[in-house]
Amino acid sequence: MVVRKRLELQGRALVFVTTNTQEWTPIFREEKFASLIIRQLGETLNYYGVSLVGYVLMPSHLHMLLGFKEVEKLSKFMQSFKILSSKLIKGSLRESIYGKFMDKNRFRLWKPRFDDLIITSEEQFRIKLNYIHYNPVKAGMVDNPAEWKYSSAADWILGKPGLIPIDKEFAWTD
């Protein structure tokens, strides 16, 4: 059972979320697919009124720090994002890789589940934000986190706005 349901959490919260593609397929290496995901993420954030505090889109997965006024909307937010982004990608796929996303005769871009962790301290926040930003460095894709286009690192480190607005002021603690 998912922790947030067991605890029946409500209200304001900052959540570290990770979701990955089926079979960890690195589809987001292609800029057109990465751009579609970023666009859909921005639209879903706006629709649900969720703050994006940090993120990185890697070739096969997505890490985010999401600020919720009502954390009970997390599952619905993720469900909507995954459904809508899957439809965008499905319509743009070449047949040669389409089969990698078929599961029981159904197209699935993302694994059905996602991992989440409620952030409870400033130290935990810093650890997760650094983890997000250094993910492309650790993977050998860039030397400096701020070089990765699909990340909030340049915004946090250099003050340079990225592809999606970041809410550095989201109030998640008292």
Side-chain angles (χ1 to χ4, degrees):
M1 177 179 267
V2 177
V3 172
R4 73 185 165 283
K5 286 189 178 183
R6 190 174 54 226
L7 296 176
E8 296 182 18
L9 296 174
Q10 294 181 328
R12 189 172 289 276
L14 183 63
V15 186
F16 174 72
V17 177
T18 299
T19 191
N20 54 285
T21 61
Q22 288 288 357
E23 310 278 328
W24 289 83
T25 305
I27 188 168
F28 308 128
R29 279 194 181 136
E30 289 191 44
E31 185 161 345
K32 73 176 183 177
F33 296 131
S35 294
L36 287 172
I37 293 301
I38 294 296
R39 186 181 86 211
Q40 187 58 60
L41 178 58
E43 289 175 9
T44 309
L45 289 162
N46 286 336
Y47 182 82
Y48 282 90
V50 174
S51 292
L52 184 62
V53 178
Y55 75 97
V56 65
L57 177 63
M58 296 295 288
S60 63
H61 61 284
L62 173 64
H63 297 296
M64 301 175 283
L65 277 166
L66 300 172
F68 286 88
K69 292 177 185 158
E70 299 171 1
V71 71
E72 53 272 28
K73 292 184 179 179
L74 172 59
S75 289
K76 188 67 175 165
F77 169 85
M78 287 301 295
Q79 179 185 33
S80 294
F81 167 70
K82 289 166 92 172
I83 287 170
L84 293 169
S85 61
S86 291
K87 287 180 180 179
L88 284 174
I89 299 293
K90 181 181 178 183
S92 301
L93 277 180
R94 297 180 310 276
E95 281 192 38
S96 60
I97 60 172
Y98 190 88
K100 292 182 180 189
F101 299 102
M102 294 304 292
D103 180 35
K104 299 177 185 169
N105 295 323
R106 189 170 171 202
F107 181 83
R108 289 189 188 268
L109 173 64
W110 303 101
K111 285 195 175 182
R113 54 179 276 290
F114 62 91
D115 295 318
D116 63 329
L117 174 73
I118 304 295
I119 302 299
T120 58
S121 70
E122 187 70 30
E123 178 184 9
Q124 191 179 38
F125 165 71
R126 291 281 166 216
I127 289 168
K128 292 303 182 188
L129 188 65
N130 286 332
Y131 176 81
I132 286 171
H133 291 160
Y134 279 89
N135 213 252
V137 175
K138 185 177 177 186
M141 301 173 93
V142 292
D143 293 326
N144 181 318
E147 296 171 1
W148 189 247
K149 179 179 180 178
Y150 303 106
S151 168
S152 58
D155 200 325
W156 277 97
I157 297 167
L158 305 175
K160 180 181 171 188
L163 300 173
I164 306 175
I166 300 302
D167 183 358
K168 296 179 187 176
E169 305 301 321
F170 179 77
W172 54 279
T173 58
D174 294 332

